């Protein structure tokens, strides 16, 4: 078992089957449904090889509704990749949790996709999981 000082991102990540993941051509409506079903405010957008192509967050939903003059029904059927952040903050699984927390605090985010060196999605670093792990350590 890892001690608090050598915990790694890999010790706390949510696996892909525990997080909202969509293919680039799936609809915004599906993103909202998955976010609600899994109670996370982020969707990871991947291609057919599971390479991370972007993220879409609940904050992106707010900004989209405020800034886009399209009808809501038209936005719902857009491909998610159209509205996703194509250059999201990412982290690798071998980073220490302490360093990951510094990044999360600096960037003011709750969730960070975890990828391998080829940007293949491995999982999601979620603030609640970090807190639980630290409190148990």
């Amino acid at each position: 078992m890892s001690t608090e000082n050598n915990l790694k991102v890999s010790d706390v990540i949510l696996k892909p089957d525990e997080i909202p993941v969509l293919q680039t051509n799936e609809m915004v409506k599906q993103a909202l449904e998955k976010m609600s079903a899994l109670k996370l405010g982020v969707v990871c957008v991947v291609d057919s090889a599971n390479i991370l192509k972007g993220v879409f967050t609940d904050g992106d939903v707010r900004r989209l509704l405020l800034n886009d003059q399209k009808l809501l029904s038209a936005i719902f059927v857009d491909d998610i990749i159209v509205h996703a952040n194509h250059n999201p903050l990412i982290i690798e699984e071998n980073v220490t949790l302490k360093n990951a927390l510094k990044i999360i605090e600096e960037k003011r985010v709750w969730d960070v996709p975890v990828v391998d060196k080829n940007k293949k999605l491995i999982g999601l670093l979620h603030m609640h999981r970090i807190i639980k792990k630290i409190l148990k350590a």
Side-chain angles (χ1 to χ4, degrees), residues 72-128:
L72 190 56
S73 58
I75 292 171
F76 275 0
V77 296
D78 282 346
D79 287 351
I80 191 61
I81 196 63
V82 171
H83 301 291
N85 173 353
H86 296 178
N87 191 26
L89 176 64
I90 57 174
I91 200 161
E92 291 188 7
E93 66 181 337
N94 62 344
V95 172
T96 66
L97 211 46
K98 186 174 184 176
N99 286 337
L101 278 168
K102 287 178 185 176
I103 294 167
I104 287 170
E105 183 178 8
E106 177 185 310
K107 299 295 183 179
R108 301 175 55 141
V109 297
W110 282 86
D111 302 290
V112 181
V114 181
V115 297
D116 67 13
K117 63 182 182 218
N118 298 315
K119 291 199 176 179
K120 184 174 182 178
L121 183 65
I122 297 171
L124 185 74
L125 183 61
H126 181 61
M127 182 60 88
H128 290 134

Side-chain angles (χ1 to χ4, degrees), residues 18-113:
E18 300 175 288
I19 63 174
V21 178
L22 290 179
Q23 297 288 310
T24 56
N25 63 339
E26 293 185 81
M27 295 183 295
V28 170
K29 183 177 187 296
Q30 291 170 294
L32 300 176
E33 290 169 348
K34 281 198 172 189
M35 288 165 70
S36 293
L38 294 172
K39 297 181 174 133
L40 288 170
V42 62
V43 172
C44 295
V45 182
V46 298
D47 66 11
S48 60
N50 209 39
I51 304 298
L52 185 69
K53 294 298 180 181
V55 297
F56 184 74
T57 68
D58 49 10
D60 294 327
V61 173
R62 281 192 315 276
R63 288 181 286 279
L64 178 60
L65 293 175
L66 290 171
N67 298 327
D68 199 318
Q69 298 303 307
K70 290 170 72 173
L71 293 173
L72 190 56
S73 58
I75 292 171
F76 275 0
V77 296
D78 282 346
D79 287 351
I80 191 61
I81 196 63
V82 171
H83 301 291
N85 173 353
H86 296 178
N87 191 26
L89 176 64
I90 57 174
I91 200 161
E92 291 188 7
E93 66 181 337
N94 62 344
V95 172
T96 66
L97 211 46
K98 186 174 184 176
N99 286 337
L101 278 168
K102 287 178 185 176
I103 294 167
I104 287 170
E105 183 178 8
E106 177 185 310
K107 299 295 183 179
R108 301 175 55 141
V109 297
W110 282 86
D111 302 290
V112 181

